[in-house]
Protein backbone atom coordinates (compact mmCIF):
# COMPACT_ATOMS: atom_id res chain seq x y z
CA UNK A 1 0.00 0.00 0.00
CA UNK A 2 1.49 3.38 -0.90
CA UNK A 3 2.04 6.05 1.72
CA UNK A 4 -0.21 8.62 0.02
CA UNK A 5 -3.10 6.12 0.02
CA UNK A 6 -2.57 5.40 3.68
CA UNK A 7 -2.45 9.12 4.46
CA UNK A 8 -5.77 9.68 2.69
CA UNK A 9 -7.39 6.83 4.60
CA UNK A 10 -6.01 8.14 7.91
CA UNK A 11 -7.29 11.64 7.26
CA UNK A 12 -10.77 10.37 6.45
CA UNK A 13 -10.81 7.93 9.35
CA UNK A 14 -9.57 10.57 11.79
CA UNK A 15 -12.08 13.17 10.72
CA UNK A 16 -15.08 10.91 10.47
CA UNK A 17 -14.39 8.75 13.52
CA UNK A 18 -13.91 5.42 11.77
CA UNK A 19 -16.82 5.77 9.36
CA UNK A 20 -16.58 4.47 5.78
CA UNK A 21 -14.33 6.72 3.72
CA UNK A 22 -12.56 6.38 0.38
CA UNK A 23 -12.01 2.70 -0.32
CA UNK A 24 -11.85 1.65 3.34
CA UNK A 25 -14.77 0.59 5.52
CA UNK A 26 -14.23 0.66 9.26
CA UNK A 27 -16.70 -1.21 11.45
CA UNK A 28 -17.09 -1.95 15.15
CA UNK A 29 -15.62 -4.99 16.86
CA UNK A 30 -17.44 -8.23 16.18
CA UNK A 31 -15.55 -10.42 18.63
CA UNK A 32 -12.52 -10.53 20.88
CA UNK A 33 -9.61 -8.70 19.27
CA UNK A 34 -5.99 -8.70 20.38
CA UNK A 35 -4.32 -5.38 19.65
CA UNK A 36 -0.75 -6.78 19.65
CA UNK A 37 1.19 -5.75 16.56
CA UNK A 38 2.98 -2.97 14.74
CA UNK A 39 0.99 0.07 13.61
CA UNK A 40 2.11 2.86 11.29
CA UNK A 41 0.58 6.18 10.43
CA UNK A 42 0.92 9.88 11.09
CA UNK A 43 0.60 12.46 13.83
CA UNK A 44 -0.14 16.18 13.91
CA UNK A 45 0.43 18.58 16.77
CA UNK A 46 2.67 21.14 18.40
CA UNK A 47 5.98 21.09 20.25
CA UNK A 48 6.27 24.39 22.07
CA UNK A 49 5.42 26.98 19.41
CA UNK A 50 6.35 24.67 16.51
CA UNK A 51 3.44 23.05 14.66
CA UNK A 52 3.99 19.78 12.80
CA UNK A 53 1.80 17.79 10.43
CA UNK A 54 1.98 14.37 8.76
CA UNK A 55 4.86 13.24 10.99
CA UNK A 56 5.37 9.46 10.57
CA UNK A 57 4.30 7.64 13.75
CA UNK A 58 4.98 3.97 14.54
CA UNK A 59 3.51 2.13 17.50
CA UNK A 60 4.44 -1.44 18.47
CA UNK A 61 2.31 -2.91 21.22
CA UNK A 62 1.74 -6.08 23.19
CA UNK A 63 -1.83 -6.51 24.47
CA UNK A 64 -2.28 -8.94 27.38
CA UNK A 65 -5.54 -8.90 29.32
CA UNK A 66 -6.26 -5.28 30.24
CA UNK A 67 -2.66 -4.12 29.68
CA UNK A 68 -0.95 -2.49 26.72
CA UNK A 69 2.88 -2.21 26.62
CA UNK A 70 5.30 -1.46 23.84
CA UNK A 71 7.28 1.25 22.06
CA UNK A 72 6.78 4.23 19.78
CA UNK A 73 8.91 6.24 17.37
CA UNK A 74 8.33 9.48 15.47
CA UNK A 75 10.43 11.68 13.23
CA UNK A 76 9.62 14.94 15.04
CA UNK A 77 9.14 13.72 18.60
CA UNK A 78 11.57 10.94 19.37
CA UNK A 79 11.58 7.40 20.70
CA UNK A 80 10.12 5.83 23.82
CA UNK A 81 7.98 3.27 25.56
CA UNK A 82 4.22 3.05 25.90
CA UNK A 83 2.03 1.53 28.61
CA UNK A 84 -1.71 1.60 29.03
CA UNK A 85 -4.87 0.04 30.35
CA UNK A 86 -7.83 -1.11 28.24
CA UNK A 87 -11.10 0.43 29.42
CA UNK A 88 -14.49 -1.33 29.23
CA UNK A 89 -16.54 -0.48 26.15
CA UNK A 90 -19.33 -2.13 24.19
CA UNK A 91 -18.20 -1.35 20.66
CA UNK A 92 -14.49 -0.50 20.65
CA UNK A 93 -11.27 -0.68 22.63
CA UNK A 94 -10.58 2.48 24.56
CA UNK A 95 -7.37 2.78 26.50
CA UNK A 96 -5.27 5.19 28.47
CA UNK A 97 -1.66 5.76 27.45
CA UNK A 98 1.53 6.78 29.17
CA UNK A 99 4.38 7.44 26.77
CA UNK A 100 7.88 7.75 28.19
CA UNK A 101 10.34 9.42 25.83
CA UNK A 102 13.95 8.24 25.97
CA UNK A 103 15.39 10.19 23.01
CA UNK A 104 16.28 12.95 22.25
CA UNK A 105 15.67 13.81 25.94
CA UNK A 106 13.53 12.40 28.76
CA UNK A 107 9.83 13.19 28.59
CA UNK A 108 6.48 11.96 29.88
CA UNK A 109 3.18 12.13 28.00
CA UNK A 110 -0.33 10.96 28.87
CA UNK A 111 -3.27 10.41 26.58
CA UNK A 112 -6.11 8.25 25.40
CA UNK A 113 -6.80 6.20 22.30
CA UNK A 114 -9.44 3.99 20.75
CA UNK A 115 -9.17 1.09 18.36
CA UNK A 116 -11.65 -0.37 15.91
CA UNK A 117 -11.56 -3.10 13.32
CA UNK A 118 -12.04 -2.52 9.62
CA UNK A 119 -11.75 -4.01 6.17
CA UNK A 120 -9.19 -2.59 3.75
CA UNK A 121 -9.85 -2.18 0.02
CA UNK A 122 -7.98 -5.46 -0.62
CA UNK A 123 -10.40 -7.30 1.68
CA UNK A 124 -7.94 -7.79 4.54
CA UNK A 125 -9.13 -7.16 8.08
CA UNK A 126 -7.14 -4.55 9.99
CA UNK A 127 -7.23 -2.50 13.16
CA UNK A 128 -6.96 1.28 13.35
CA UNK A 129 -6.00 3.24 16.44
CA UNK A 130 -6.66 6.96 16.90
CA UNK A 131 -5.44 8.84 19.94
CA UNK A 132 -3.92 11.92 21.44
CA UNK A 133 -1.31 12.74 24.05
CA UNK A 134 0.15 15.73 25.85
CA UNK A 135 3.24 16.17 28.00
CA UNK A 136 6.63 17.78 28.49
CA UNK A 137 10.11 17.06 27.14
CA UNK A 138 13.24 19.10 26.29
CA UNK A 139 11.74 22.15 28.05
CA UNK A 140 8.71 22.12 25.69
CA UNK A 141 5.10 20.99 25.91
CA UNK A 142 3.97 18.57 23.21
CA UNK A 143 0.31 18.18 22.27
CA UNK A 144 -0.39 15.73 19.45
CA UNK A 145 -2.98 13.46 17.84
CA UNK A 146 -2.14 10.32 15.90
CA UNK A 147 -3.85 7.73 13.76
CA UNK A 148 -2.30 4.42 12.75
CA UNK A 149 -3.25 1.14 11.05
CA UNK A 150 -1.89 -2.28 11.98
CA UNK A 151 0.67 -3.54 9.46
CA UNK A 152 1.41 -6.88 11.19
Amino acid sequence: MNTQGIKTIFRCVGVLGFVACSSTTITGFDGPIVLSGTYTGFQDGTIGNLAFQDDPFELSILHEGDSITGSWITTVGGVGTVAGMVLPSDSLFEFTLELMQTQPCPGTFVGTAEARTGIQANGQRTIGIAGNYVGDDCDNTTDAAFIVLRVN
Side-chain angles (χ1 to χ4, degrees):
M1 192 183 293
N2 69 47
T3 303
Q4 187 60 40
I6 290 174
K7 197 186 244 181
T8 300
I9 291 169
F10 289 153
R11 293 289 170 227
C12 293
V13 169
V15 170
L16 298 177
F18 294 101
V19 174
C21 181
S22 186
S23 58
T24 300
T25 302
I26 303 294
T27 60
F29 284 109
D30 57 355
I33 300 296
V34 175
L35 298 176
S36 297
T38 301
Y39 297 76
T40 61
F42 300 92
Q43 68 170 347
D44 296 340
T46 58
I47 298 176
N49 293 325
L50 172 68
F52 60 90
Q53 186 174 12
D54 300 331
D55 178 42
F57 189 90
E58 182 175 303
L59 179 65
S60 297
I61 58 175
L62 176 63
H63 173 199
E64 294 180 319
D66 291 339
S67 297
I68 301 284
T69 58
S71 62
W72 59 274
I73 184 168
T74 71
T75 303
V76 172
V79 176
T81 60
V82 61
M85 295 295 295
V86 177
L87 306 172
S89 177
D90 293 335
S91 62
L92 52 90
F93 273 126
E94 294 180 297
F95 47 99
T96 60
L97 297 173
E98 181 177 32
L99 296 99
M100 301 298 292
Q101 181 171 289
T102 57
Q103 294 178 17
C105 58
T108 303
F109 310 94
V110 294
T112 59
E114 66 179 41
R116 295 191 188 198
T117 60
I119 306 297
Q120 297 182 58
N122 63 7
Q124 285 187 299
R125 182 181 178 130
T126 192
I127 297 175
I129 298 176
N132 59 65
Y133 63 91
V134 65
D136 296 311
D137 70 339
C138 305
D139 299 321
N140 289 303
T141 297
T142 299
D143 188 351
F146 65 90
I147 189 158
V148 292
L149 288 178
R150 187 163 70 181
V151 293
N152 71 12

